[in-house]
Amino acid sequence: MKITFGYTTAKRGADLTGTLQFMSLRILKAIDENQAQPSQGIADDIESFIYVLGYAVLMKITRQTKWDTSKRKYWQDTFDAAFGKIDHKDIVKARVSIAPLEWAQKAGTDFELEEIGMSRPFFNILLRLFILLQDVHRTQVRGNIGKNPYVDDTVRSEVSSQPEIMLGYREFREILEQGITKLELRE
């Protein structure tokens, strides 16, 4: 079976299990650094779910038939940047920029929400998830800086004094429940 991502075609098998596109940044970095794959935890599951949600929404936007050529190309390029990578190193780069949801911040300004078929409450859910992932990824980067032996003690102290942000069910559920409540109020 072959899978096409943008202009790249890959044969599905041992190298591409289908889940690589949705793995958390922490697990992808472990693969990238040739470490043993860490056990998947709650935060990894939630992060994967967020990427699957971003994939589904972006796929729906990309498949709309009303787009002119330039908008179709824009959305296809956006989809390819977020999910069109096959090599885990390229996927890590897409995760660091949070490409699976990065486009959402432009959706409310560059494109009218109605134009892309998205309600404001759902848009706000995506945007809050994007911000949450940004905060979690910053925490991971700070952790890496704190372990670097070449980092000055002053910088290490500044980095370690920052609160650690974990991706957990409580924060995730809160975002979804608030968004769902607003969606239900629209009916």
Side-chain angles (χ1 to χ4, degrees):
M1 177 177 185
K2 288 186 178 181
I3 300 193
T4 302
F5 296 103
Y7 302 106
T8 308
T9 301
K11 198 166 193 169
R12 191 177 171 103
D15 294 333
L16 180 63
T17 64
T19 58
L20 196 62
Q21 299 296 326
F22 307 110
M23 285 183 181
S24 71
L25 179 60
R26 185 180 72 89
I27 292 177
L28 285 169
K29 281 187 170 183
I31 293 169
D32 189 43
E33 296 165 2
N34 291 324
Q35 299 173 357
Q37 184 170 335
S39 60
Q40 188 156 340
I42 292 169
D44 301 304
D45 290 341
I46 294 170
E47 189 172 342
S48 292
F49 177 85
I50 293 170
Y51 294 144
V52 170
L53 180 63
Y55 176 90
V57 172
L58 202 48
M59 179 65 77
K60 180 185 180 295
I61 293 170
T62 304
R63 299 285 185 242
Q64 291 187 33
T65 57
K66 64 183 176 187
W67 300 125
D68 63 30
T69 305
S70 65
K71 285 184 182 176
R72 183 175 309 285
K73 180 174 178 0
Y74 171 86
W75 285 110
Q76 187 61 52
D77 290 348
T78 300
F79 181 85
D80 291 344
F83 296 104
K85 310 300 183 210
I86 294 173
D87 182 71
H88 69 277
K89 291 179 184 300
D90 293 330
I91 296 171
V92 166
K93 290 176 189 171
R95 291 298 173 273
V96 169
S97 70
I98 313 173
L101 288 180
E102 187 271 338
W103 58 269
Q105 56 181 331
K106 296 176 185 169
T109 55
D110 293 352
F111 297 91
E112 294 293 323
L113 295 179
E114 295 81 26
E115 184 180 9
I116 60 173
M118 187 179 301
S119 70
R120 183 171 304 282
F122 189 73
F123 167 74
N124 287 327
I125 290 171
L126 290 176
L127 204 53
R128 288 183 69 196
L129 292 174
F130 169 72
I131 292 165
L132 180 62
L133 279 180
Q134 276 186 320
D135 292 342
V136 168
H137 288 182
R138 276 193 206 106
T139 296
Q140 291 174 358
V141 168
R142 284 194 305 265
N144 293 340
I145 290 171
K147 295 175 190 173
N148 188 327
Y150 299 106
V151 172
D152 184 275
D153 287 339
T154 306
V155 174
R156 184 175 285 112
S157 175
E158 288 174 18
V159 168
S160 63
S161 69
Q162 301 289 324
E164 184 176 359
I165 298 171
M166 299 295 293
L167 188 56
Y169 284 135
R170 186 175 49 89
E171 298 86 359
F172 180 65
R173 188 179 71 228
E174 181 181 307
I175 290 171
L176 292 182
E177 285 178 350
Q178 287 176 2
I180 289 169
T181 299
K182 288 180 181 178
L183 282 168
E184 289 172 343
L185 292 173
R186 292 184 67 223
E187 293 181 7

